[in-house]
Amino acid sequence: MSLVLNREQLSDYLVEVFPQVEKDFVIDSLDENSITMRLKVGDRHLRPGGTVSGPSMFGLADVSVYAMILALKGRQSLAVTTGCSMDFMRKPDGANDMIARCSLLKLGKTLAVGDVLMFSEGSVKPVARATMTYSLPPAGSAAAAFG
Amino acid sequence: MSLVLNREQLSDYLVEVFPQVEKDFVIDSLDENSITMRLKVGDRHLRPGGTVSGPSMFGLADVSVYAMILALKGRQSLAVTTGCSMDFMRKPDGANDMIARCSLLKLGKTLAVGDVLMFSEGSVKPVARATMTYSLPPAGSAAAAFG
Amino acid sequence: MSLVLNREQLSDYLVEVFPQVEKDFVIDSLDENSITMRLKVGDRHLRPGGTVSGPSMFGLADVSVYAMILALKGRQSLAVTTGCSMDFMRKPDGANDMIARCSLLKLGKTLAVGDVLMFSEGSVKPVARATMTYSLPPAGSAAAAFG
Amino acid sequence: MSLVLNREQLSDYLVEVFPQVEKDFVIDSLDENSITMRLKVGDRHLRPGGTVSGPSMFGLADVSVYAMILALKGRQSLAVTTGCSMDFMRKPDGANDMIARCSLLKLGKTLAVGDVLMFSEGSVKPVARATMTYSLPPAGSAAAAFG
């Protein structure tokens, strides 16, 4: 499957639909098999002890998979997150950005599944993993999104 | 198992350790079997279309289970979130607060499991469910938290 | 939502479509909100140490949710399991049957989510919990089952 | 981390502790980073329509991660499965064996997390993914297994 949106187009589109997250995320790289997304870690993402908060990691995983779906399906996509499982394995380093490497395990007509590994930049041991599932309503049926 | 902290004590302690979340969460009720936690939904929790964001719901689930563990184990607890599974079932209503009803399925020596149902206030149909798991390091072994 | 199949009809149908599981499962009770399913624990479900195996508990959770969907949607249903999360909290007692209490959190047009608590008979503390998700293809579109 | 048990030793040990699964599983390959486990698909693993059953896939995922822990920790290990999340993405082909590729994302002192992708032999598209989590009791504390 080839990319419908390249990195610049995808980045512009994310800013357009999620203006509130523009300051948080950067697409480091994108090809037809995977995306690397960066969370620009700032004070608002931290918890006492200098770790990155769980909600921030959830958000990073979610935007990574969503962006990969958009890159392959195009702007008209209406993917709705229906499920998530995460394992938190190591303490994230709040002094560094967090890097998510994401690929899709499935991109079907009605269901997408994305896999994400998250690292504190500079470390090779994963901080967390996530699997996110999405419902993909048929084009034009936004009302069906919560099937 | 009886409460070690009552609602006021628990509320004070959460403010002390998580000053950044004070504005977001309120404990509506607490007894030895369950806690009801409110997310005071504001603009910062919303996504386009007026729904409550996934990270906000993750945060609500996490703080609910964490608070219930604290209420039963006391201030010295060092619970570390190790896993999460969530299902998103209906579109949350961004015009209303979100209410989480949480109980613990297990509170062992080293492992706790909490179950959470989340509702938009005024609706009886759940918006999302979550199960959160926590590692409970032995007292005094903070270093073991990421076991 | 009212039952389309009563307990006897549902039981007969399960035997018809899953002849290999007839010896394992019994529907203890059924109403429009919940089902109680029994795993008749035998040697083939056990692991060393006298505990019930994980696959046996997975099977119990899956058949419970599937049966509840059938009871509400009828025989023509083609629910396909798309996801599962389970937490194993206590050691099951291989000398007793295992009882699953299941209810549906969502039964939409294309997605169903069921919640299951499992107990060793005679104990009030849950051995495991599970959430199972199903894709519900539109009637007549079996080919779409793996969307 | 280097292997404590090689493929033959690991295989012998699995037969010893799980005699009932000997006929089901074969270790295709093992190194310090990953294991490939084969489910020898037979009639007892099938469901109507010729697909491999969910419990069989759960069992394959569980034994794969468990075996990888044993290979790195040795025979004295007492890993207890505490959690599982699975996504079922494509219809398995009941006419072929199922192959699981597994690696550990974490092998700590008290917690292990393993990641598994499962394929019908001969296909490159994954049928299912699983993450399994294990509690690792300190040596000699079997009683703590369900912490």
Side-chain angles (χ1 to χ4, degrees):
Chain A
M1 213 168 172
S2 59
L3 292 174
V4 172
L5 300 177
N6 65 25
R7 187 163 76 98
E8 290 67 31
Q9 292 166 326
L10 178 59
S11 186
D12 288 350
Y13 186 60
L14 286 175
V15 170
E16 188 183 320
V17 291
F18 291 124
Q20 70 276 54
V21 300
E22 179 185 2
K23 63 186 181 307
D24 288 334
F25 300 110
V26 175
I27 303 170
D28 273 9
S29 68
L30 171 71
D31 63 36
E32 62 268 38
N33 296 312
S34 66
I35 191 168
T36 302
M37 186 78 73
R38 172 184 299 265
L39 174 67
K40 294 183 288 184
V41 171
D43 282 351
R44 67 193 171 284
H45 305 115
L46 300 184
R47 283 282 187 272
T51 73
V52 179
S53 76
S56 299
M57 288 192 271
F58 178 96
L60 173 60
D62 196 24
V63 81
S64 298
V65 182
Y66 185 70
M68 190 77 222
I69 295 171
L70 284 176
L72 291 166
K73 285 270 196 178
R75 284 165 166 258
Q76 77 289 356
S77 311
L78 285 161
V80 174
T81 309
T82 52
C84 158
S85 76
M86 296 184 75
D87 293 277
F88 302 96
M89 296 173 290
R90 295 175 181 87
K91 192 176 158 171
D93 176 3
N96 284 300
D97 283 352
M98 187 156 277
I99 308 294
R101 294 203 305 245
C102 163
S103 60
L104 298 186
L105 297 174
K106 180 186 175 78
L107 182 57
K109 265 176 285 188
T110 61
L111 177 68
V113 181
D115 210 52
V116 186
L117 275 180
M118 286 173 271
F119 303 81
S120 286
E121 189 168 30
S123 168
V124 297
K125 296 200 169 179
V127 162
R129 64 150 293 283
T131 308
M132 315 290 297
T133 56
Y134 293 79
S135 176
L136 305 174
S141 69
F146 275 84
Chain B
M1 212 167 173
S2 59
L3 291 175
V4 172
L5 301 177
N6 66 25
R7 186 162 76 97
E8 288 67 32
Q9 292 165 326
L10 177 60
S11 186
D12 289 349
Y13 186 59
L14 285 176
V15 170
E16 189 184 320
V17 291
F18 292 123
Q20 69 276 54
V21 301
E22 181 185 1
K23 62 187 180 307
D24 288 335
F25 300 111
V26 175
I27 303 170
D28 273 10
S29 68
L30 171 71
D31 62 38
E32 64 269 36
N33 295 312
S34 65
I35 192 168
T36 302
M37 185 79 73
R38 172 184 298 264
L39 173 68
K40 293 183 287 183
V41 172
D43 282 351
R44 67 193 171 284
H45 305 116
L46 300 184
R47 282 283 187 272
T51 74
V52 179
S53 77
S56 299
M57 288 192 271
F58 177 96
L60 173 61
D62 196 23
V63 81
S64 299
V65 181
Y66 185 71
M68 189 78 221
I69 294 171
L70 284 175
L72 290 167
K73 286 269 195 179
R75 284 165 166 259
Q76 78 289 357
S77 312
L78 286 161
V80 174
T81 310
T82 52
C84 158
S85 76
M86 297 184 74
D87 293 278
F88 301 95
M89 296 173 291
R90 293 174 183 87
K91 192 176 159 170
D93 176 3
N96 284 302
D97 283 352
M98 188 157 277
I99 308 294
R101 294 204 305 245
C102 164
S103 60
L104 298 185
L105 296 175
K106 179 187 175 79
L107 182 58
K109 266 176 284 188
T110 62
L111 177 68
V113 180
D115 210 52
V116 186
L117 275 181
M118 287 173 271
F119 303 82
S120 286
E121 191 168 29
S123 168
V124 297
K125 297 200 170 180
V127 162
R129 66 151 289 283
T131 308
M132 314 290 298
T133 57
Y134 293 78
S135 176
L136 305 173
S141 67
F146 276 85
Chain C
M1 212 166 173
S2 58
L3 292 174
V4 172
L5 301 176
N6 65 25
R7 188 162 76 97
E8 289 68 31
Q9 291 166 327
L10 178 59
S11 186
D12 289 348
Y13 186 60
L14 286 175
V15 170
E16 187 185 320
V17 290
F18 292 124
Q20 70 274 58
V21 300
E22 181 184 2
K23 63 187 179 309
D24 288 334
F25 301 110
V26 174
I27 303 170
D28 273 10
S29 68
L30 170 70
D31 64 37
E32 63 268 37
N33 296 311
S34 65
I35 191 167
T36 301
M37 185 79 74
R38 170 184 300 264
L39 173 68
K40 294 182 287 182
V41 172
D43 282 350
R44 68 194 171 284
H45 305 115
L46 300 185
R47 283 283 186 271
T51 74
V52 179
S53 76
S56 299
M57 288 192 270
F58 178 96
L60 174 60
D62 196 23
V63 80
S64 299
V65 182
Y66 185 71
M68 189 77 222
I69 295 172
L70 284 176
L72 291 166
K73 286 270 195 178
R75 284 165 166 259
Q76 78 288 358
S77 311
L78 286 162
V80 174
T81 309
T82 53
C84 158
S85 76
M86 296 184 76
D87 293 278
F88 301 96
M89 296 172 291
R90 294 175 182 87
K91 191 175 159 171
D93 177 3
N96 284 301
D97 283 352
M98 186 156 279
I99 308 294
R101 294 203 305 245
C102 163
S103 59
L104 297 186
L105 297 174
K106 178 186 176 80
L107 183 57
K109 264 175 285 188
T110 61
L111 177 67
V113 181
D115 211 52
V116 185
L117 275 179
M118 286 172 271
F119 303 81
S120 286
E121 189 167 31
S123 168
V124 297
K125 296 200 171 181
V127 162
R129 62 151 292 282
T131 308
M132 314 291 298
T133 56
Y134 293 78
S135 176
L136 305 173
S141 69
F146 275 85
Chain D
M1 213 167 174
S2 57
L3 292 175
V4 173
L5 300 177
N6 65 24
R7 188 163 76 97
E8 290 67 30
Q9 293 165 327
L10 178 59
S11 186
D12 289 349
Y13 186 59
L14 286 176
V15 170
E16 188 184 321
V17 291
F18 291 124
Q20 70 275 57
V21 300
E22 180 185 2
K23 62 186 181 307
D24 288 335
F25 300 110
V26 175
I27 303 171
D28 272 10
S29 68
L30 171 70
D31 63 37
E32 63 268 36
N33 295 312
S34 65
I35 192 169
T36 301
M37 185 78 74
R38 172 184 298 265
L39 174 68
K40 294 183 286 183
V41 172
D43 281 351
R44 67 192 173 285
H45 305 115
L46 300 184
R47 282 283 186 271
T51 74
V52 179
S53 77
S56 298
M57 288 192 270
F58 178 96
L60 173 60
D62 196 23
V63 81
S64 299
V65 181
Y66 185 71
M68 188 77 222
I69 295 171
L70 284 176
L72 291 166
K73 288 269 195 178
R75 283 164 166 261
Q76 78 289 358
S77 311
L78 285 160
V80 174
T81 309
T82 53
C84 158
S85 76
M86 297 184 76
D87 293 278
F88 301 96
M89 296 173 290
R90 292 175 183 86
K91 192 176 160 170
D93 176 3
N96 284 300
D97 282 352
M98 187 157 278
I99 308 294
R101 295 204 304 246
C102 163
S103 59
L104 297 186
L105 297 174
K106 179 186 176 80
L107 182 58
K109 263 175 286 187
T110 61
L111 178 68
V113 181
D115 211 51
V116 186
L117 274 180
M118 286 172 271
F119 303 81
S120 286
E121 190 167 29
S123 168
V124 297
K125 297 201 169 180
V127 161
R129 64 150 292 282
T131 308
M132 314 290 296
T133 57
Y134 293 78
S135 177
L136 305 173
S141 68
F146 275 85

